[in-house]
Amino acid sequence: MVKIRVNGINYQLDVDPDTPLLWVLTEQLGLTGTKYSCGISECGSCTVHIDGEAELSCGISLGEVAGKDVVTIEGLKGRIADALRQAWIEEDVPQCGYCQSGQIMTAATLLKHNSDPSDDAIDGAMSDVLCRCGSYQGIRQAIHLAAGRKVS
Amino acid sequence: MKEKPLVQGRRDFIKIGTLAGTGLLVGVHLPNCSRHVEASHVSSENGVNMLAPNAWIRIRSDDTVTVMVNHSELGQGITTALPMIVAEELEADWSKIKVEIAPVEEVYKNPAFNTQMTASSTSVYTSWDILRKAGAMARETLISAAARAWKVPPSECYAQNGAVIHKPSQRSFRFGELVDKTAGIPVPEDVYLKKPEEFKIIGKRIPRLDTKIKTDGSAKFGIDIKLPEMLVAVVVHPPVFGGKVKSVDSQNTRKMKGIRDVVAIDAGIAVVADTFWQARLASDALQIEWEENENSKLNSDALFERWDEMAKSEGKTQYEIGDVDDFFGTDGKTHQAMYRIPYQGHATPEPMNCTAHVRDKDCEIWAPTQHQDAAQEVAARITGFDYEAIKVHTTFVGGGFGRRISVEYVVEAVQISKILKKPIKVIWTREEDTRNDRIRPATCNFMEAAIDSNGLPVAWRHRIVGADVFGQMLPKLIPSIMPYWVPRFLRNGLSGIGESLLPRVVPGKKAIKGAAPLQYNIANVRAEFINDDPGIPIGYWRSVSAFSNAFAVECFLDELAAESGEDPFDYRDRLLTNSPRMREVMKLAADKAGWKEKPPAGVHRGLAIHRFHDTDLCFVAEVSIHSRHEIRVHRVVCAVNCGIVINPKTIESQMESAVAFGLTSTLKSAITIRDGKIEQSNFDDYPILRIDEMPKVEVYTVQDTRSPTSIGEAGVPVIAPAVANAVFAATGIRVRKLPILPDDIKNT
Ligand code: FES
Ligand code: FES
C-alpha cells in the first residue's frame, strides 16, 4: 500500500510502487488531464506539481511520491491558476490541446517564482514542454497577460 | 428585406420537423443519400415527427443551437470555424452555439473524397456552401413559423441574434420558443445567402469553443477513454517493415502482474493487461523471433544514392507546357542542382490509440482519427457486421498531421476485442508510434533551368525521384470511398486487386504537387516523376509532396536569382507577371518585412512563395548565424490570400503552427532507415521545435471575397525554402538538403 495525496485527497493505493506516477494518475485515479506523450522525460506533457514544484510524472515513480502532495491540472487552483486559464482562453492558446496541461502546470510554477517574466525567462522555463502544434507564441503572450493580472 | 419565397423542399434534399418539445432538425444532404436516411426513419425518437439524422443544425427549446461538425478537431479549430459559418446565416446567438462531432453517415462524408475524412485542408471550402445553405434554411423556417404565429407576412420579420423579430411591432420570439411552432412549415429551397458586407460573425476573432476544456484537463482525447471492464493492450510490431512473427515465447510475460492475455494479431503480438503500464512492462519480457525479411536490406542512404543515379534518366512527364527539350543540351546557359529531402515523421503528441468493443452483434469504436469511414470499414471487415452495427465515436485528437488518415490502431483494437470479447484500448508507446509511422516520402529532385539573355529562366525541368504516397494509400482508401451498397465480397476483392495494382499504375500526379504548375511565367516547363517504391510504409503528412517540391522549386529559383545577380524579390516579381494575386501577396510580405530596408546587423532575410490548393502565400524569414554555426530564426512574416477569412485568429494560429511544424523539418529532424527499420524512436532522437527556438510570427491577410480556400497545411511548404534562402543570404552556402544543420554551413 502506498499513500499519496493528490489534489487534496488522500489515497491508499495497492499499486506497484515502481509504476510511474503518470499512469497512476491517469489509469488508477482517472485524472486523465495529465498526458502521456514520450514517457522518457523529453516532452513535458505529463507535468504535475509535487510539493508545489513542476515535475515530470512519467519519470517519477509512485513510490517516490509517497507522502508527498501532488497537484494535477484538474486540481490546479488559486490566483495564478485562474489568471493563467483566463489568459489561455483570451489568447486562444490551445490548438489540439494535448500538451496544454503540461504548459499550464509549468507556467504556474514559473509565475510562482517570477511574477513578471521576460520573453527569455518564459522561453527558459517553458522550453521543456513541447508543442507540436506550435502554440508557443500564444503561450508567451498568455503568460505575460496572466502575469500582469495576478499581481493586482 | 429581400423577398424570400418559401417552397416545399424536396424530400431527398432537406428534412425538417419537430421532435416533441426537444428540437428542430435541419439537414441538407447530398441527393444520393442512402442507408442512414432510411435507418433513421425506422429508429423513431419519442415516436413523433420522424426526422432524418443527416442534420447540421439542432435547435432546442432551451435556445441552444447544436452544429454537427463532420470533421475531426485536430487543433486546426474546425469545431469553431464550421459553427461560425452556420451561425452567420442562421443569425444565431453565438453564446448559445454548441458542437457535436458527427457520427459516420452518408451526409457527413467529405465531398472532396466521398469518405468521412479530415484531410488535405478541405474542411472549410467543402463545407462553405452546404453549411451556409443549411443555416439560411433554418433561419427562413424559423421566420415563417414566427410570422404564422403572429399572423403577419414573413417579409415583415427578420432574424437576429437568436431571435425572430417582427419589424413593425418589435415583437420577438427566441429561437427556442419557435421550435414547437414550426410543425408543418414548408421549408424554403431557394434561400437568400448573405453578402460578405453583411457578415457579422464571419471575419471576427471569435474565440475557439474548445479552449476552456483544454485548460482544465477535461477535454477527452482517445487515450483518455475508459469503459467498464476495459483492458489495455500494448502491441509489439515487427522491427523490420512488413515483418512476420516466426515464434513467440510469452511464458514470462503471462506470469507478470495484471496480464490477462497475449494474443497474435495481424500487426504483431498484443499484450493485454489491466493497465497500460503493466502491458508495457510485460511486453518487454516477450521473446519473439521474427521471420527473415528482404526489407532488412533497406537503408535510406543507399536509397538516396540509387535515386541520384536514377535522376540521370528521364522520368514520366506529369506536366508540360512548351518544350523544354529545345533548350537543354544546347549551347545556351543552363543551371542545375539536386535537392534531397528526407523522410519525415508525424510525431503527433498523442500517440496512436483506439478503444473498441466488439459485442455479439455490434461494435463500438472510440478513436482519435481523421478518417471515420475507414474506421468503420475495417471494423466491418474484421467483425463481419453491417456498417449499421458499427458505431464510431470521434474523440478530440492530439495532433493529426495526416497520420490518422490510415487506421492501423483501429484494426488492432477491433481484432483484439473480437478475440477477447471485452472492451480493449490499444495504446502505442512513443517508440512504437515513431517506428510504425507512415512517414512522409523522401525524394531526390533534379532541377534544371535554361537562362535567357535577361537572366530569366526560359525552360524549367523538375525531375522527382521517389515513392508516391498515393500509390500506397489509395488501395487503403478504396473500400471506404466505395458507395455503401457495394457488397462486402466485391469490396474486399476490389481492394485486394487495388493493393497489388495501384501502386504501379497511379503514381505521378499527386507526387508533383507544388512542382507544377508554377506561378512563374516560364514558357517551357516540365515536371517528371520517377516512381521507385522500396516498400517503406509512407503516408500523408501535413502538405505531403508540396513540402519537398516547394523546397526544391523556391530554393532553385533563388539560385537563379543569385546567378543573375538580382534581388530575390525583384527576380520573382519579374516572373510573376501572370499571377497578380501571388504578386500582391509577395509584395505584402516584403513590405511588412521591410525587405527593401537593410535588416538589423547580423540578420539575413530569405523569401519564398507557394500556392497551396488555391491559397497564395509568401513568407519572409529572418535568420542569424551564431557560434558553432547555430542557425536561429527570429522572425517570420507571412502574407496569405485564402479568400474570405472566417476567423483571422485561426489563420494566425495555423500560420504559427505551420512555421513551427515546418521548422522541425527544416532545422532539426528527419527519419532515416537502417536495416529496414526507422532509426529514430522518441523525441530525444527526433527532436521537436521548442519554445526558445520559435520565431516571432507575423501574419497578414489580403482581403478577398473569393470563397474560403485552404489553410491547415498551406504554410508548411513555405517555411523551409524561406529559411534556406535566408541561410544562403547569411552564408553564401546553398544547402540543398534538409534538415539544415550547423555542419552544413561550417565552412563560413
Ligand atoms: S510524457 Fe513525461 S515528459 Fe513526455
Ligand atoms: S496544442 Fe497540440 S501539442 Fe500543443
Side-chain angles (χ1 to χ4, degrees):
Chain A
M1 284 289 178
V2 184
K3 285 187 190 171
I4 53 167
R5 189 174 163 80
V6 181
N7 298 338
I9 301 170
N10 293 314
Y11 295 90
Q12 279 212 9
L13 297 172
D14 181 16
V15 175
D16 179 354
D18 288 339
T19 308
L21 175 62
L22 165 64
W23 297 104
V24 176
L25 296 171
T26 54
E27 297 198 293
Q28 311 288 339
L29 306 183
L31 296 167
T32 53
T34 305
K35 290 289 187 275
Y36 165 70
S37 189
C38 73
I40 58 163
S41 303
E42 277 285 335
C43 76
S45 70
C46 66
T47 306
V48 298
H49 292 174
I50 296 172
D51 288 344
E53 293 307 323
E55 303 267 4
L56 303 173
S57 65
C58 72
I60 191 161
S61 70
L62 173 63
E64 289 172 273
V65 295
K68 298 198 174 162
D69 201 18
V70 179
V71 174
T72 69
I73 186 72
E74 291 91 345
L76 184 71
K77 296 205 168 59
R79 242 160 23 114
I80 291 178
D82 292 346
L84 282 171
R85 287 205 176 94
Q86 189 52 37
W88 243 247
I89 290 167
E90 282 173 42
E91 292 292 333
D92 243 355
V93 176
Q95 292 191 23
C96 83
Y98 199 76
C99 71
Q100 297 296 337
S101 301
Q103 305 287 2
I104 292 174
M105 296 307 282
T106 311
T109 47
L110 165 65
L111 288 190
K112 193 173 94 174
H113 296 296
N114 183 349
S115 60
D116 188 18
S118 63
D119 270 350
D120 280 351
I122 292 173
D123 283 3
M126 302 298 294
S127 68
D128 289 340
V129 196
L130 303 179
C131 177
R132 181 63 160 150
C133 299
S135 66
Y136 296 132
Q137 193 151 300
I139 290 170
R140 282 185 201 137
Q141 279 157 8
I143 292 176
H144 285 308
L145 187 63
R149 285 188 183 152
K150 61 118 196 123
V151 276
S152 52
Chain B
M1 282 213 71
K2 301 262 173 336
E3 190 61 36
K4 299 181 195 80
L6 295 183
V7 291
Q8 181 66 52
R10 297 198 318 274
R11 277 189 64 81
D12 68 347
F13 189 62
I14 185 159
K15 298 182 192 299
I16 189 163
T18 57
L19 280 169
T22 58
L24 163 72
L25 282 128
V26 180
V28 181
H29 44 80
L30 307 169
N32 65 338
C33 51
S34 64
R35 60 192 180 119
H36 288 291
V37 176
E38 302 312 323
S40 73
H41 281 286
V42 191
S43 64
S44 148
E45 200 177 327
N46 302 332
V48 236
N49 287 355
M50 199 51 242
L51 301 165
N54 322 29
W56 302 100
I57 300 168
R58 295 181 181 180
I59 302 169
R60 295 196 166 83
S61 26
D62 63 0
D63 290 329
T64 57
V65 173
T66 302
V67 177
M68 301 300 285
V69 172
N70 63 334
H71 288 278
S72 306
E73 181 56 82
L74 313 168
Q76 80 282 43
I78 205 64
T79 47
T80 303
L82 297 188
M84 284 175 73
I85 300 173
V86 171
E88 180 68 64
E89 291 292 345
L90 180 57
E91 300 289 352
D93 173 356
W94 181 254
S95 70
K96 296 289 197 299
I97 293 286
K98 299 214 172 330
V99 179
E100 218 177 292
I101 299 281
V104 182
E105 282 171 16
E106 181 79 34
V107 62
Y108 297 128
K109 285 188 168 201
N110 182 339
F113 310 105
N114 197 37
T115 179
Q116 191 173 339
M117 174 159 86
T118 306
S120 196
S121 305
T122 53
S123 305
V124 164
Y125 78 73
T126 58
S127 306
W128 177 245
D129 289 336
I130 296 173
L131 292 186
R132 290 177 79 200
K133 196 155 186 184
M137 283 170 159
R139 176 192 73 216
E140 296 306 320
T141 306
L142 293 166
I143 289 177
S144 300
R148 185 176 68 180
W150 288 319
K151 299 196 175 52
V152 299
S155 58
E156 290 182 4
C157 306
Y158 63 98
Q160 192 176 54
N161 202 27
V164 176
I165 296 150
H166 179 230
K167 210 171 181 185
S169 67
Q170 282 300 303
R171 282 174 293 178
S172 73
F173 280 123
R174 295 190 322 277
F175 282 1
E177 295 176 304
L178 288 168
V179 167
D180 291 341
K181 296 183 170 46
T182 52
I185 293 282
V187 177
E189 196 177 321
D190 291 322
V191 282
Y192 174 75
L193 298 180
K194 294 162 84 171
K195 300 210 165 53
E197 57 269 25
E198 295 171 281
F199 290 161
K200 297 175 195 148
I201 293 173
I202 290 170
K204 294 261 154 51
R205 293 176 174 270
I206 304 269
R208 289 174 66 130
L209 295 169
D210 56 349
T211 303
K212 189 175 173 300
I213 54 172
K214 288 176 175 177
T215 61
D216 60 15
S218 63
K220 286 278 172 275
F221 293 84
I223 202 168
D224 304 331
I225 295 293
K226 184 153 191 170
L227 302 173
E229 313 237 325
M230 183 184 84
L231 301 175
V232 184
V234 164
V235 179
V236 179
H237 299 90
V240 172
F241 304 127
K244 292 265 172 291
V245 176
K246 190 169 176 189
S247 70
V248 55
D249 176 356
S250 60
Q251 260 189 2
N252 293 337
T253 299
R254 287 175 189 276
K255 279 186 233 146
M256 291 173 75
K257 203 165 162 217
I259 300 307
R260 298 297 195 92
D261 216 329
V262 177
V263 294
I265 55 171
D266 292 348
I269 304 294
V271 177
V272 186
D274 292 327
T275 67
F276 169 82
W277 188 251
Q278 291 166 334
R280 159 91 186 70
L281 277 186
S283 67
D284 285 344
L286 283 175
Q287 309 269 336
I288 307 174
E289 205 187 327
W290 304 93
E291 280 176 13
E292 287 287 318
N293 176 348
E294 271 295 293
N295 283 342
S296 64
K297 295 186 186 127
L298 287 170
N299 283 304
S300 41
D301 283 349
L303 278 175
F304 275 112
E305 279 171 31
R306 178 161 105 199
W307 291 342
D308 272 359
E309 208 46 49
M310 290 173 77
K312 288 177 183 157
S313 10
E314 218 162 276
K316 195 165 161 214
T317 298
Q318 302 291 341
Y319 173 91
E320 181 154 41
I321 52 166
D323 189 353
V324 296
D325 288 334
D326 293 349
F327 298 88
F328 297 123
T330 64
D331 290 342
K333 185 173 185 243
T334 60
H335 186 70
Q336 284 117 4
M338 180 76 96
Y339 281 82
R340 297 175 185 86
I341 292 98
Y343 291 104
Q344 280 296 349
H346 295 83
T348 61
E350 179 185 14
M352 296 305 112
N353 68 84
C354 175
T355 304
H357 192 188
V358 180
R359 292 177 288 252
D360 288 345
K361 293 197 169 66
D362 65 351
C363 166
E364 238 174 315
I365 293 164
W366 292 260
T369 186
Q370 294 178 249
H371 197 175
Q372 288 77 4
D373 264 304
Q376 194 185 51
E377 161 63 29
V378 295
R381 198 193 288 213
I382 295 163
T383 59
F385 298 154
D386 290 339
Y387 288 126
E388 282 80 1
I390 291 153
K391 203 165 173 188
V392 179
H393 307 270
T394 309
T395 62
F396 273 115
V397 182
F401 317 123
R403 174 63 185 93
R404 299 179 206 266
I405 291 169
S406 62
V407 292
E408 301 90 330
Y409 41 95
V410 179
V411 172
E412 294 176 5
V414 173
Q415 284 186 338
I416 302 166
S417 178
K418 188 182 168 201
I419 297 170
L420 298 182
K421 307 230 171 317
K422 286 217 187 289
I424 299 290
K425 174 158 71 176
V426 166
I427 303 176
W428 289 13
T429 61
R430 172 59 54 194
E431 289 76 12
E432 291 289 341
D433 188 275
T434 307
R435 294 188 186 124
N436 294 280
D437 197 354
R438 300 194 67 91
I439 50 184
R440 202 269 329 275
T443 55
C444 279
N445 297 258
F446 179 60
M447 314 295 294
E448 195 169 15
I451 315 293
D452 69 12
S453 52
N454 295 317
L456 293 177
V458 62
W460 172 286
R461 176 158 63 193
H462 185 163
R463 181 177 295 153
I464 304 159
V465 191
D468 183 7
V469 177
F470 205 55
Q472 279 195 22
M473 290 296 280
L474 190 61
K476 297 192 180 304
L477 300 180
I478 284 180
S480 341
I481 295 171
M482 284 182 218
Y484 289 131
W485 53 261
V486 175
R488 171 63 42 204
F489 75 92
L490 204 59
R491 203 174 276 276
N492 294 353
L494 285 174
S495 55
I497 298 168
E499 197 97 33
S500 52
L501 198 64
L502 288 171
R504 269 172 281 158
V505 296
V506 299
K509 284 279 174 280
K510 303 264 176 191
I512 64 156
K513 184 169 169 52
L518 293 170
Q519 297 308 302
Y520 301 115
N521 189 12
I522 303 172
N524 305 284
V525 177
R526 185 191 290 168
E528 301 170 13
F529 180 60
I530 298 175
N531 183 39
D532 181 28
D533 187 348
I536 293 164
I538 49 176
Y540 296 108
W541 181 96
R542 200 173 182 182
S543 80
V544 210
S545 334
F547 181 90
S548 43
N549 291 334
F551 180 67
V553 166
E554 281 303 291
C555 291
F556 188 62
L557 202 280
D558 224 65
E559 292 196 37
L560 301 186
E563 284 287 309
S564 79
E566 233 179 304
D567 174 89
F569 173 90
D570 294 337
Y571 192 76
R572 283 179 174 82
D573 199 48
R574 281 213 279 155
L575 285 167
L576 284 174
T577 40
N578 289 345
S579 308
R581 201 169 77 202
M582 181 63 88
R583 208 172 181 191
E584 186 188 8
V585 167
M586 187 174 77
K587 184 162 182 334
L588 178 63
D591 286 349
K592 295 293 181 184
W595 182 269
K596 292 288 172 195
E597 290 123 54
K598 224 173 124 55
V603 173
H604 303 269
R605 296 199 182 108
L607 179 147
I609 65 161
H610 183 65
R611 174 171 288 177
F612 187 89
H613 293 349
D614 230 357
T615 300
D616 285 356
L617 308 103
C618 175
F619 285 10
V620 175
E622 292 186 352
V623 310
S624 60
I625 312 293
H626 295 259
S627 64
R628 298 203 206 128
H629 318 288
E630 182 209 346
I631 301 161
R632 275 189 219 156
V633 186
H634 303 271
R635 177 181 178 225
V636 179
V637 175
C638 314
V640 190
N641 182 328
C642 57
I644 291 173
V645 170
I646 310 266
N647 187 335
K649 185 69 184 69
T650 311
I651 310 296
E652 289 162 16
S653 300
Q654 284 309 297
M655 285 304 115
E656 289 168 32
S657 181
V659 166
F661 192 84
L663 278 179
T664 289
S665 309
T666 308
L667 297 175
K668 294 181 74 86
S669 293
I671 294 288
T672 50
I673 314 291
R674 185 175 296 274
D675 303 333
K677 300 171 199 155
I678 288 178
E679 285 192 277
Q680 293 69 26
S681 65
N682 206 317
F683 301 138
D684 51 351
D685 48 16
Y686 190 83
I688 303 301
L689 192 88
R690 294 175 182 269
I691 194 170
D692 53 341
E693 300 163 317
M694 179 72 188
K696 186 170 179 292
V697 178
E698 296 166 31
V699 181
Y700 304 94
T701 48
V702 175
Q703 287 238 345
D704 197 337
T705 51
R706 292 187 293 147
S707 293
T709 57
S710 299
I711 208 69
E713 301 165 278
V716 178
V718 204
I719 185 68
V723 169
N725 292 339
V727 168
F728 173 76
T731 63
I733 295 182
R734 187 61 72 179
V735 183
R736 300 190 180 91
K737 46 94 64 174
L738 290 172
I740 303 172
L741 300 172
D743 263 1
D744 297 318
I745 54 165
K746 68 168 179 265
N747 295 328
T748 48

